[in-house]
Amino acid sequence: MRIEKVVVETEDNNVKTFSLCFLNKEDEGSFTYTPGQFAEVSVLGKGEAPFGMASSPTQSGCLEFTVSKAGVVTTALHNMEAGGIVGVRGPLGNGYPVEALKGSNVVMIGGGFGFSTLRALTNFLLDDANRGSFGDVTVIYGARSPGLLLYKDELKQWQERTDLHLYLTVDVGDQEWPGRVGVVPKVTKDIAPGSENTYVVICGPPVMIKFTLPVIKELGFAPDRTLLSLEMRMKCGLGMCGRCNIGARYVCLDGPVFSLAELNQLPQEFWG
Ligand SMILES: Cc1cc2nc3c(=O)[nH]c(=O)nc-3n(C[C@H](O)[C@H](O)[C@H](O)COP(=O)(O)OP(=O)(O)OC[C@H]3O[C@@H](n4cnc5c(N)ncnc54)[C@H](O)[C@@H]3O)c2cc1C
Ligand code: FES
């Protein structure tokens, strides 16, 4: 795929969103995906790494990936510009169960670059063709500081919508930040979204998940309606190399999205 556009998302320059366009129309037609799925993106001579699609399948054309600079592949990607060519292998994994969410309210709770697939899910739910199939849609999204929030222009548009409840928070504010200050689990507790006929979808750093789960339990969300996207080390993405398994389940094939009911059957030291 060809890099069409690169957007620097955060003030520390560490997170960028890459819009990638298919070189081949046939590939574009066969790349059908669900929010929450991922792809292996490769940089020639450097290797490949998994990234969740940050774009929604309701937007045609380019795919978007939001990439945090962590090591070899992500640094090589960050050094590339519009016009560069990368390999993309996917879509992989199961994604969020959008059919099961129909008719229910959906609460999404995210932090860090993990918010990228929740952004995809939000845009999917808000799409004109889909919005009527879902109940109330709530997004709780936190970053360490205002300058680390992703998708700032889109967040402004979301804030103006009447069919979305958006709660933004930062761990530490600054003089210009007019919004909430507080970590995601605390803010979730304060907002206390209702759990009746509601799915909660959580994606973020392990520490956020660890402290958010007890709050979710306290609010009465059933384990089979609590969905988590896990981020394990991966290599093949195809259930072949054994790098990502938790017990008998492969995060790359059976996940990365699992319900808490499913995870409760698996050894907690690998996901908790
Ligand atoms: C399903 C899935 C979806 C993902 N989506 C995104 C995304 O949308 N955006 C994004 O920026 N990243 C995402 N990641 C994480 C991303 O794949 C890793 O950060 C990436 O593999 C790093 O590659 P690298 O070659 O740059 O780093 P490497 O050179 O391989 O490693 C750099 C450092 O990071 C550590 N490291 C690498 N990967 C991981 C990991 N998964 N967990 C803990 N430590 C790790 C290494 O031990 C090393 O210290 C996702 C991972 C998975 C499994
Ligand atoms: S990454 Fe190889 S089995 Fe999952």
Side-chain angles (χ1 to χ4, degrees), residues 38 48-52 66-75 113 116 230-234 256:
F38 66 98
E48 64 177 3
F51 304 105
T66 298
V67 177
S68 172
K69 192 155 79 169
V72 178
V73 175
T74 49
T75 301
F113 66 73
S116 61
L230 298 188
E231 205 204 285
M232 301 281 289
R233 300 299 303 271
M234 284 184 189

Side-chain angles (χ1 to χ4, degrees), residues 24 87 132 146-147 204 217 219 234:
N24 180 334
K217 192 175 171 196
L219 291 170
M234 284 184 189

Side-chain angles (χ1 to χ4, degrees), residues 234-244 250 252:
M234 284 184 189
K235 200 166 173 68
C236 70
L238 298 168
M240 309 282 284
C241 72
R243 182 71 78 93
C244 72
Y250 289 94
C252 66

